[in-house]
Amino acid sequence: TAGGPADAVMLGTNCPRDLYSQFAVQRLFLRNALTAPDQLRQRVAWALSQIWVTSAALDDIAYANRDYQQLLIDQAFGNFYDVMFRVSVNSFMGNYLDMVNNAKANPTTGQQPNENYAREILQLFAVGLYELKADGTLLLDAGGNPIPTYDQDDIVELSKVFTGWTYWPLAGQSARWNAPINYAFNMMPIESPTNYHDTGTKNILGYVMPGGRSADTDLREALGVIFNNPSVGPFISKQLIQHLVSSNPTPAYVARITAVFNNNGAGVRGDLKAVVRAIILDPEARAPRNPVVGTFGKLKEPVTYLTGLVRALGGTSDGVALIGPARAMGQDVYTSPTVFNYFPADFVVPGTNLAGPQF
C-alpha cells in the first residue's frame, strides 16, 4: 500500500499530502491535460470517469484513485465490456458502491445483498432508466409511455451476482472474508471453505443464469447480458458525444455512433476506439457553424475550460496552479460530490429545451 518507505523513494517524496491525499493525482491529471502527447486518450478517460464515477470524497488516499483512473486511461480505446469487467472487480469501486464484502442472503439474520452497485451499473453506467431507440430517443409503449429498462426485481437478482468478493489480502496475511482495505489489487472471491457468493439461479433482465457456478463466472456472464442490452449503445454513445463534441447531437448523429458501437465494421461490439473515431469524424461534428444561431456545441466544464485556456495562451504548468481554480468553479478533480457526477447528463438549460449538462 502507499505510504511506506518504498513509496517515498519511488515518488521522490515523503510528504503526507502527496502520499495520502489527491493532490499528486490531481496535479498529474492537470499537467497531462496541458502537455501529454495523447490528448484524445486523456479526454476520453476523463469522460469515462464521469460516467463510471468514483470519488475521492469517500476515500482520499492517492494510490487507490491513481490506479482507478489509470484503468480508464488504459481502456479508453479498448472494449466497453472490458471497462465494465475491470471496473466491477476494481477494489476502489468495490468500496465506493459497496460490492466489496457483499455477502449472499442470510435467512437466519435476514441480511440481504447490498443493491448499490447493481442499481448504479444499470441506471448510470451502462443501460439507463428507459429503453432507447438506436438514435437515443425513448422507445414508447402502446400508450405513449417510456418503457423502463429494469425494475426492482432485476436489481434484487443482479445484486446476487455481485456477492462473494472481498479485498486481496495484505502482505503476510491469508485470504479471508471481510479482509481489510487493500486497493493495490482487484477484489477476489472467497468461495471456500465458506461460500459467500449466491450460487442460485438468477434472472438478469429476462435472461436466466444457471446456478451452481463461481462468483467470477456469474459476474462475467451477467456483465455480458448487460453489455448486449440494446439500450447500451445509444446510452453510452450519446454521453460520449456530449462529453467530446456537443450537448445536443441530432438523433441521426447518435444513431450513426450507435451503429459503430454495435458493430465496428468487423463484427465487434463495444469497440471504443472505433466509437471515438466515429464521434469526432462524423459530418455533424465537422460541419461549419453559424456563430449567431444553432444548437450545436457545449459549455466547457471548468477543467476543460481552464486547461484549454492555458494551452491557447501558450502557458505551461506543473498542474498545481489549476487545482484551486477548478475546485472553486465546482469541479474538484476526481472528487465528484455524488455517483451522479458533477452534473447530470440530462440537465436542461433553464428557459430552453436544450440539454446543457455543464450548465
Side-chain angles (χ1 to χ4, degrees), residues 43-90:
R43 282 294 299 276
V44 174
W46 178 237
L48 289 174
S49 77
Q50 295 185 70
I51 297 172
W52 293 83
V53 176
T54 56
S55 178
L58 179 70
D59 195 334
D60 196 38
I61 196 165
Y63 83 102
N65 204 2
R66 172 202 64 192
D67 291 351
Y68 182 79
Q69 303 306 332
Q70 186 64 51
L71 180 165
L72 298 180
I73 291 171
D74 293 342
Q75 296 299 317
F77 297 150
N79 191 280
F80 190 71
Y81 176 85
D82 293 332
V83 174
M84 295 177 67
F85 178 77
R86 291 172 183 270
V87 167
S88 294
V89 297
N90 179 269

Short mmCIF file of all heavy atoms in Angstrom, two decimals, residues 43-90:
data_model
loop_
_atom_site.label_atom_id
_atom_site.label_comp_id
_atom_site.label_asym_id
_atom_site.label_seq_id
_atom_site.Cartn_x
_atom_site.Cartn_y
_atom_site.Cartn_z
N ARG A 43 -8.81 12.83 -22.81
CA ARG A 43 -10.18 13.37 -22.80
C ARG A 43 -11.21 12.25 -22.70
O ARG A 43 -12.23 12.40 -22.01
CB ARG A 43 -10.42 14.21 -24.05
CG ARG A 43 -9.82 15.61 -24.00
CD ARG A 43 -10.48 16.49 -22.95
NE ARG A 43 -11.90 16.67 -23.21
CZ ARG A 43 -12.41 17.59 -24.03
NH1 ARG A 43 -11.60 18.41 -24.68
NH2 ARG A 43 -13.70 17.69 -24.20
N VAL A 44 -10.96 11.16 -23.40
CA VAL A 44 -11.91 10.04 -23.34
C VAL A 44 -11.90 9.43 -21.93
O VAL A 44 -12.96 9.12 -21.37
CB VAL A 44 -11.57 8.98 -24.40
CG1 VAL A 44 -12.46 7.74 -24.22
CG2 VAL A 44 -11.76 9.56 -25.80
N ALA A 45 -10.73 9.29 -21.34
CA ALA A 45 -10.64 8.76 -19.97
C ALA A 45 -11.36 9.67 -18.99
O ALA A 45 -12.04 9.20 -18.06
CB ALA A 45 -9.19 8.58 -19.56
N TRP A 46 -11.21 10.98 -19.17
CA TRP A 46 -11.92 11.96 -18.32
C TRP A 46 -13.43 11.80 -18.48
O TRP A 46 -14.18 11.84 -17.50
CB TRP A 46 -11.46 13.36 -18.68
CG TRP A 46 -12.12 14.48 -17.94
CD1 TRP A 46 -12.80 15.53 -18.50
CD2 TRP A 46 -12.15 14.73 -16.52
NE1 TRP A 46 -13.26 16.38 -17.53
CE2 TRP A 46 -12.87 15.92 -16.31
CE3 TRP A 46 -11.64 14.04 -15.43
CZ2 TRP A 46 -13.09 16.44 -15.04
CZ3 TRP A 46 -11.87 14.56 -14.15
CH2 TRP A 46 -12.58 15.74 -13.97
N ALA A 47 -13.88 11.59 -19.71
CA ALA A 47 -15.31 11.36 -19.94
C ALA A 47 -15.77 10.07 -19.27
O ALA A 47 -16.82 10.04 -18.61
CB ALA A 47 -15.60 11.32 -21.44
N LEU A 48 -15.00 9.01 -19.41
CA LEU A 48 -15.37 7.74 -18.78
C LEU A 48 -15.42 7.87 -17.26
O LEU A 48 -16.26 7.26 -16.59
CB LEU A 48 -14.38 6.65 -19.18
CG LEU A 48 -14.46 6.16 -20.63
CD1 LEU A 48 -13.32 5.19 -20.92
CD2 LEU A 48 -15.80 5.51 -20.93
N SER A 49 -14.52 8.69 -16.70
CA SER A 49 -14.51 8.87 -15.25
C SER A 49 -15.76 9.59 -14.76
O SER A 49 -16.10 9.51 -13.58
CB SER A 49 -13.26 9.65 -14.81
OG SER A 49 -13.38 11.03 -15.07
N GLN A 50 -16.45 10.29 -15.67
CA GLN A 50 -17.69 10.98 -15.31
C GLN A 50 -18.92 10.16 -15.66
O GLN A 50 -20.05 10.59 -15.38
CB GLN A 50 -17.74 12.34 -16.01
CG GLN A 50 -16.64 13.28 -15.53
CD GLN A 50 -16.76 14.65 -16.13
OE1 GLN A 50 -17.67 15.41 -15.81
NE2 GLN A 50 -15.85 14.98 -17.03
N ILE A 51 -18.72 9.00 -16.25
CA ILE A 51 -19.80 8.04 -16.46
C ILE A 51 -19.69 6.93 -15.42
O ILE A 51 -20.63 6.66 -14.67
CB ILE A 51 -19.74 7.46 -17.89
CG1 ILE A 51 -19.95 8.57 -18.93
CG2 ILE A 51 -20.81 6.37 -18.06
CD1 ILE A 51 -19.73 8.13 -20.37
N TRP A 52 -18.51 6.32 -15.32
CA TRP A 52 -18.23 5.31 -14.30
C TRP A 52 -17.61 6.02 -13.10
O TRP A 52 -16.42 5.95 -12.85
CB TRP A 52 -17.28 4.25 -14.85
CG TRP A 52 -17.89 3.41 -15.94
CD1 TRP A 52 -17.99 3.70 -17.26
CD2 TRP A 52 -18.49 2.12 -15.77
NE1 TRP A 52 -18.62 2.68 -17.93
CE2 TRP A 52 -18.92 1.69 -17.04
CE3 TRP A 52 -18.68 1.28 -14.66
CZ2 TRP A 52 -19.56 0.46 -17.24
CZ3 TRP A 52 -19.31 0.06 -14.87
CH2 TRP A 52 -19.75 -0.33 -16.14
N VAL A 53 -18.44 6.69 -12.35
CA VAL A 53 -17.97 7.62 -11.32
C VAL A 53 -17.52 6.89 -10.06
O VAL A 53 -18.21 6.01 -9.53
CB VAL A 53 -19.07 8.63 -10.96
CG1 VAL A 53 -18.63 9.54 -9.81
CG2 VAL A 53 -19.46 9.46 -12.18
N THR A 54 -16.33 7.25 -9.58
CA THR A 54 -15.92 7.02 -8.20
C THR A 54 -15.55 8.39 -7.66
O THR A 54 -15.55 9.37 -8.39
CB THR A 54 -14.70 6.08 -8.10
OG1 THR A 54 -13.65 6.63 -8.89
CG2 THR A 54 -15.04 4.68 -8.58
N SER A 55 -15.21 8.47 -6.39
CA SER A 55 -14.89 9.78 -5.84
C SER A 55 -13.95 9.68 -4.66
O SER A 55 -14.12 8.83 -3.78
CB SER A 55 -16.17 10.51 -5.41
OG SER A 55 -15.86 11.76 -4.83
N ALA A 56 -12.97 10.58 -4.67
CA ALA A 56 -12.07 10.68 -3.53
C ALA A 56 -12.77 11.23 -2.30
O ALA A 56 -12.20 11.23 -1.21
CB ALA A 56 -10.88 11.58 -3.89
N ALA A 57 -14.00 11.70 -2.46
CA ALA A 57 -14.76 12.17 -1.30
C ALA A 57 -15.00 11.03 -0.32
O ALA A 57 -15.17 11.26 0.87
CB ALA A 57 -16.10 12.77 -1.76
N LEU A 58 -15.01 9.78 -0.82
CA LEU A 58 -15.20 8.64 0.07
C LEU A 58 -13.90 8.24 0.73
O LEU A 58 -13.86 7.94 1.92
CB LEU A 58 -15.78 7.45 -0.71
CG LEU A 58 -16.00 6.19 0.12
CD1 LEU A 58 -17.15 6.39 1.10
CD2 LEU A 58 -16.29 5.00 -0.78
N ASP A 59 -12.82 8.20 -0.06
CA ASP A 59 -11.51 7.83 0.47
C ASP A 59 -10.47 8.62 -0.30
O ASP A 59 -10.31 8.46 -1.50
CB ASP A 59 -11.26 6.33 0.33
CG ASP A 59 -10.10 5.86 1.18
OD1 ASP A 59 -9.21 6.68 1.48
OD2 ASP A 59 -10.06 4.67 1.56
N ASP A 60 -9.74 9.46 0.40
CA ASP A 60 -8.85 10.44 -0.22
C ASP A 60 -7.45 9.90 -0.51
O ASP A 60 -6.62 10.61 -1.06
CB ASP A 60 -8.75 11.67 0.70
CG ASP A 60 -8.18 12.89 -0.02
OD1 ASP A 60 -8.52 13.08 -1.21
OD2 ASP A 60 -7.39 13.62 0.59
N ILE A 61 -7.18 8.65 -0.16
CA ILE A 61 -5.82 8.15 -0.33
C ILE A 61 -5.46 8.09 -1.81
O ILE A 61 -6.26 7.72 -2.65
CB ILE A 61 -5.65 6.79 0.36
CG1 ILE A 61 -4.17 6.45 0.52
CG2 ILE A 61 -6.39 5.69 -0.37
CD1 ILE A 61 -3.90 5.33 1.48
N ALA A 62 -4.21 8.46 -2.11
CA ALA A 62 -3.84 8.73 -3.50
C ALA A 62 -3.79 7.49 -4.38
O ALA A 62 -4.29 7.49 -5.50
CB ALA A 62 -2.50 9.46 -3.54
N TYR A 63 -3.16 6.41 -3.91
CA TYR A 63 -2.86 5.31 -4.82
C TYR A 63 -4.11 4.62 -5.34
O TYR A 63 -4.13 4.10 -6.46
CB TYR A 63 -1.92 4.30 -4.15
CG TYR A 63 -2.57 3.28 -3.24
CD1 TYR A 63 -2.78 1.97 -3.67
CD2 TYR A 63 -2.95 3.61 -1.94
CE1 TYR A 63 -3.34 1.02 -2.84
CE2 TYR A 63 -3.51 2.67 -1.11
CZ TYR A 63 -3.71 1.38 -1.55
OH TYR A 63 -4.28 0.44 -0.72
N ALA A 64 -5.20 4.61 -4.56
CA ALA A 64 -6.44 3.96 -4.99
C ALA A 64 -7.03 4.67 -6.20
O ALA A 64 -7.40 4.05 -7.20
CB ALA A 64 -7.43 3.94 -3.84
N ASN A 65 -7.14 6.00 -6.10
CA ASN A 65 -7.72 6.76 -7.21
C ASN A 65 -6.77 6.77 -8.40
O ASN A 65 -7.20 6.72 -9.56
CB ASN A 65 -8.02 8.19 -6.75
CG ASN A 65 -9.09 8.84 -7.59
OD1 ASN A 65 -9.65 8.24 -8.51
ND2 ASN A 65 -9.38 10.10 -7.31
N ARG A 66 -5.46 6.84 -8.13
CA ARG A 66 -4.48 6.79 -9.22
C ARG A 66 -4.69 5.54 -10.06
O ARG A 66 -4.76 5.60 -11.30
CB ARG A 66 -3.07 6.79 -8.63
CG ARG A 66 -1.95 6.55 -9.65
CD ARG A 66 -0.70 6.03 -8.96
NE ARG A 66 -0.92 4.72 -8.34
CZ ARG A 66 -0.07 4.16 -7.50
NH1 ARG A 66 1.03 4.78 -7.13
NH2 ARG A 66 -0.33 2.94 -7.00
N ASP A 67 -4.80 4.39 -9.41
CA ASP A 67 -4.93 3.13 -10.14
C ASP A 67 -6.27 3.05 -10.86
O ASP A 67 -6.35 2.50 -11.97
CB ASP A 67 -4.77 1.96 -9.19
CG ASP A 67 -3.34 1.83 -8.66
OD1 ASP A 67 -2.45 2.54 -9.17
OD2 ASP A 67 -3.12 1.03 -7.74
N TYR A 68 -7.33 3.57 -10.25
CA TYR A 68 -8.64 3.53 -10.91
C TYR A 68 -8.64 4.40 -12.17
O TYR A 68 -9.11 3.97 -13.23
CB TYR A 68 -9.74 4.01 -9.95
CG TYR A 68 -11.12 3.94 -10.59
CD1 TYR A 68 -11.78 2.72 -10.67
CD2 TYR A 68 -11.73 5.07 -11.12
CE1 TYR A 68 -13.03 2.64 -11.27
CE2 TYR A 68 -12.97 4.99 -11.72
CZ TYR A 68 -13.62 3.78 -11.79
OH TYR A 68 -14.86 3.69 -12.40
N GLN A 69 -8.09 5.60 -12.07
CA GLN A 69 -8.06 6.48 -13.24
C GLN A 69 -7.11 5.94 -14.31
O GLN A 69 -7.38 6.08 -15.51
CB GLN A 69 -7.66 7.90 -12.82
CG GLN A 69 -8.56 8.53 -11.76
CD GLN A 69 -10.04 8.53 -12.15
OE1 GLN A 69 -10.39 8.54 -13.33
NE2 GLN A 69 -10.91 8.53 -11.15
N GLN A 70 -6.02 5.28 -13.89
CA GLN A 70 -5.13 4.66 -14.87
C GLN A 70 -5.85 3.55 -15.63
O GLN A 70 -5.62 3.36 -16.83
CB GLN A 70 -3.89 4.11 -14.18
CG GLN A 70 -2.83 3.58 -15.14
CD GLN A 70 -2.25 4.68 -16.03
OE1 GLN A 70 -1.82 5.71 -15.53
NE2 GLN A 70 -2.26 4.45 -17.34
N LEU A 71 -6.71 2.83 -14.94
CA LEU A 71 -7.51 1.81 -15.59
C LEU A 71 -8.31 2.41 -16.75
O LEU A 71 -8.37 1.85 -17.85
CB LEU A 71 -8.46 1.18 -14.56
CG LEU A 71 -9.44 0.07 -14.92
CD1 LEU A 71 -9.94 -0.58 -13.63
CD2 LEU A 71 -10.63 0.53 -15.74
N LEU A 72 -8.95 3.56 -16.51
CA LEU A 72 -9.76 4.20 -17.54
C LEU A 72 -8.90 4.75 -18.68
O LEU A 72 -9.31 4.71 -19.84
CB LEU A 72 -10.62 5.31 -16.92
CG LEU A 72 -11.63 4.86 -15.86
CD1 LEU A 72 -12.41 6.05 -15.33
CD2 LEU A 72 -12.57 3.79 -16.42
N ILE A 73 -7.71 5.25 -18.34
CA ILE A 73 -6.79 5.70 -19.39
C ILE A 73 -6.37 4.51 -20.26
O ILE A 73 -6.38 4.59 -21.50
CB ILE A 73 -5.56 6.39 -18.77
CG1 ILE A 73 -5.96 7.72 -18.14
CG2 ILE A 73 -4.48 6.62 -19.82
CD1 ILE A 73 -4.85 8.37 -17.32
N ASP A 74 -6.05 3.41 -19.62
CA ASP A 74 -5.62 2.22 -20.36
C ASP A 74 -6.73 1.68 -21.26
O ASP A 74 -6.46 1.16 -22.35
CB ASP A 74 -5.18 1.12 -19.39
CG ASP A 74 -3.91 1.47 -18.63
OD1 ASP A 74 -3.19 2.39 -19.07
OD2 ASP A 74 -3.66 0.83 -17.59
N GLN A 75 -7.98 1.78 -20.80
CA GLN A 75 -9.11 1.19 -21.53
C GLN A 75 -9.85 2.19 -22.40
O GLN A 75 -10.87 1.84 -23.01
CB GLN A 75 -10.10 0.57 -20.53
CG GLN A 75 -9.53 -0.59 -19.73
CD GLN A 75 -9.12 -1.74 -20.63
OE1 GLN A 75 -9.82 -2.10 -21.56
NE2 GLN A 75 -7.96 -2.32 -20.35
N ALA A 76 -9.37 3.43 -22.49
CA ALA A 76 -10.11 4.47 -23.21
C ALA A 76 -10.38 4.10 -24.66
O ALA A 76 -11.41 4.48 -25.23
CB ALA A 76 -9.34 5.79 -23.13
N PHE A 77 -9.46 3.37 -25.30
CA PHE A 77 -9.64 2.94 -26.69
C PHE A 77 -9.81 1.42 -26.76
O PHE A 77 -9.57 0.81 -27.80
CB PHE A 77 -8.46 3.37 -27.55
CG PHE A 77 -8.29 4.87 -27.65
CD1 PHE A 77 -7.03 5.42 -27.82
CD2 PHE A 77 -9.37 5.73 -27.56
CE1 PHE A 77 -6.85 6.80 -27.92
CE2 PHE A 77 -9.21 7.11 -27.64
CZ PHE A 77 -7.95 7.64 -27.82
N GLY A 78 -10.21 0.82 -25.66
CA GLY A 78 -10.41 -0.62 -25.62
C GLY A 78 -11.85 -0.99 -25.91
O GLY A 78 -12.55 -0.31 -26.65
N ASN A 79 -12.31 -2.06 -25.29
CA ASN A 79 -13.68 -2.52 -25.49
C ASN A 79 -14.52 -2.19 -24.26
O ASN A 79 -14.05 -2.32 -23.13
CB ASN A 79 -13.71 -4.03 -25.76
CG ASN A 79 -15.07 -4.48 -26.24
OD1 ASN A 79 -15.99 -4.68 -25.46
ND2 ASN A 79 -15.19 -4.65 -27.56
N PHE A 80 -15.75 -1.78 -24.49
CA PHE A 80 -16.60 -1.35 -23.39
C PHE A 80 -16.86 -2.49 -22.41
O PHE A 80 -16.99 -2.25 -21.21
CB PHE A 80 -17.93 -0.80 -23.92
CG PHE A 80 -18.76 -0.12 -22.87
CD1 PHE A 80 -18.38 1.10 -22.34
CD2 PHE A 80 -19.93 -0.71 -22.41
CE1 PHE A 80 -19.14 1.72 -21.36
CE2 PHE A 80 -20.70 -0.10 -21.43
CZ PHE A 80 -20.29 1.12 -20.90
N TYR A 81 -16.92 -3.73 -22.90
CA TYR A 81 -17.10 -4.85 -21.97
C TYR A 81 -15.92 -4.94 -21.01
O TYR A 81 -16.09 -5.20 -19.82
CB TYR A 81 -17.26 -6.17 -22.71
CG TYR A 81 -17.35 -7.34 -21.74
CD1 TYR A 81 -18.57 -7.69 -21.17
CD2 TYR A 81 -16.22 -8.05 -21.36
CE1 TYR A 81 -18.65 -8.73 -20.25
CE2 TYR A 81 -16.29 -9.09 -20.45
CZ TYR A 81 -17.50 -9.42 -19.89
OH TYR A 81 -17.58 -10.44 -18.97
N ASP A 82 -14.71 -4.72 -21.51
CA ASP A 82 -13.54 -4.78 -20.64
C ASP A 82 -13.58 -3.68 -19.59
O ASP A 82 -13.15 -3.88 -18.45
CB ASP A 82 -12.26 -4.67 -21.47
CG ASP A 82 -12.05 -5.89 -22.36
OD1 ASP A 82 -12.52 -6.98 -22.00
OD2 ASP A 82 -11.43 -5.73 -23.44
N VAL A 83 -14.08 -2.49 -19.97
CA VAL A 83 -14.28 -1.43 -18.98
C VAL A 83 -15.24 -1.92 -17.90
O VAL A 83 -14.98 -1.78 -16.70
CB VAL A 83 -14.83 -0.15 -19.65
CG1 VAL A 83 -15.17 0.89 -18.58
CG2 VAL A 83 -13.81 0.42 -20.63
N MET A 84 -16.35 -2.51 -18.32
CA MET A 84 -17.34 -3.00 -17.37
C MET A 84 -16.74 -4.00 -16.40
O MET A 84 -16.95 -3.92 -15.18
CB MET A 84 -18.51 -3.64 -18.12
CG MET A 84 -19.32 -2.69 -18.98
SD MET A 84 -20.63 -3.53 -19.91
CE MET A 84 -21.70 -4.06 -18.57
N PHE A 85 -15.98 -4.96 -16.94
CA PHE A 85 -15.43 -6.01 -16.07
C PHE A 85 -14.35 -5.45 -15.15
O PHE A 85 -14.35 -5.71 -13.93
CB PHE A 85 -14.85 -7.16 -16.90
CG PHE A 85 -14.24 -8.24 -16.06
CD1 PHE A 85 -15.03 -9.14 -15.39
CD2 PHE A 85 -12.86 -8.32 -15.90
CE1 PHE A 85 -14.47 -10.13 -14.59
CE2 PHE A 85 -12.29 -9.30 -15.10
CZ PHE A 85 -13.10 -10.21 -14.45
N ARG A 86 -13.41 -4.70 -15.71
CA ARG A 86 -12.29 -4.21 -14.90
C ARG A 86 -12.76 -3.25 -13.81
O ARG A 86 -12.23 -3.25 -12.69
CB ARG A 86 -11.25 -3.55 -15.81
CG ARG A 86 -10.51 -4.55 -16.69
CD ARG A 86 -9.62 -3.85 -17.71
NE ARG A 86 -8.97 -4.79 -18.60
CZ ARG A 86 -7.79 -5.36 -18.38
NH1 ARG A 86 -7.12 -5.08 -17.27
NH2 ARG A 86 -7.28 -6.21 -19.24
N VAL A 87 -13.75 -2.43 -14.12
CA VAL A 87 -14.29 -1.53 -13.09
C VAL A 87 -15.02 -2.34 -12.02
O VAL A 87 -14.92 -2.05 -10.83
CB VAL A 87 -15.23 -0.49 -13.73
CG1 VAL A 87 -16.04 0.23 -12.66
CG2 VAL A 87 -14.43 0.52 -14.54
N SER A 88 -15.74 -3.36 -12.44
CA SER A 88 -16.55 -4.14 -11.49
C SER A 88 -15.70 -4.88 -10.47
O SER A 88 -16.14 -5.09 -9.33
CB SER A 88 -17.43 -5.13 -12.25
OG SER A 88 -18.40 -4.46 -13.03
N VAL A 89 -14.50 -5.30 -10.85
CA VAL A 89 -13.64 -6.01 -9.88
C VAL A 89 -12.63 -5.07 -9.22
O VAL A 89 -11.86 -5.51 -8.36
CB VAL A 89 -12.90 -7.19 -10.54
CG1 VAL A 89 -13.89 -8.22 -11.05
CG2 VAL A 89 -11.98 -6.72 -11.67
N ASN A 90 -12.65 -3.80 -9.59
CA ASN A 90 -11.72 -2.85 -9.01
C ASN A 90 -12.07 -2.59 -7.54
O ASN A 90 -13.23 -2.32 -7.20
CB ASN A 90 -11.75 -1.54 -9.80
CG ASN A 90 -10.82 -0.49 -9.23
OD1 ASN A 90 -11.22 0.31 -8.40
ND2 ASN A 90 -9.57 -0.51 -9.67
#
